[in-house]
Amino acid sequence: MLVIFVLLLAVGTFLWLAQTFVASPEMLRADVIQNRKVIKSFMLDAKAAPEELTIKYNGGYNTIYVEGGRIAIIDADCPDRDCVRRGWLKHAGESTICLPHRLEIRISGRSDVDGVSY
């Protein structure tokens, strides 16, 4: 009986260590959507090089910046600039929208923060 207990304890410890040190966290993805179509997707990797993208629409523009596992609209010429004031997005489920330019950014993927504690 003691041998079975020790064997189960060893297997459990091995599985816990394997999950802790081998499993990689799932990446977050940011989709840039305009007129209900995904026009660009970014993997939000904290180690990736910064990236900037300017999207034009009907004579206007939005400038999107991606760095350190987060994304934001950093400049726009829309009248209220709510999309710029929204700031950085870095958790799954967060989004921002620019209605005059029909532009939306949505983040999807697994996050360490759940809906209750966030």
Side-chain angles (χ1 to χ4, degrees):
M1 189 67 158
L2 181 62
V3 172
I4 294 173
F5 176 73
V6 170
L7 184 62
L8 288 175
L9 185 62
V11 169
T13 302
F14 173 76
L15 291 175
W16 177 77
L17 288 172
Q19 181 180 6
T20 302
F21 295 109
V22 175
S24 63
E26 188 173 324
M27 297 291 294
L28 294 177
R29 188 183 79 214
D31 291 327
V32 179
I33 303 162
Q34 193 166 46
N35 286 328
R36 299 181 182 173
K37 293 181 182 174
V38 176
I39 58 173
K40 178 81 175 170
S41 291
F42 297 95
M43 297 308 294
L44 299 181
D45 184 1
K47 298 175 184 172
E51 197 170 342
E52 186 174 307
L53 172 70
T54 298
I55 298 172
K56 297 181 180 180
Y57 181 79
N58 282 348
Y61 71 92
N62 295 83
T63 301
I64 297 169
Y65 197 72
V66 182
E67 72 169 8
R70 59 189 189 163
I71 186 170
I73 297 175
I74 60 169
D75 194 19
D77 65 349
C78 54
D80 55 9
R81 295 175 44 96
D82 284 340
C83 55
V84 176
R85 285 196 299 267
R86 173 66 173 86
W88 294 101
L89 308 171
K90 56 186 174 183
H91 299 288
E94 289 184 325
S95 64
T96 186
I97 189 165
C98 179
L99 287 176
H101 297 155
R102 301 182 185 273
L103 183 74
E104 180 180 3
I105 299 174
R106 288 188 205 158
I107 297 183
S108 60
R110 196 182 117 215
S111 176
D112 293 337
V113 180
D114 62 29
V116 174
S117 63
Y118 174 65

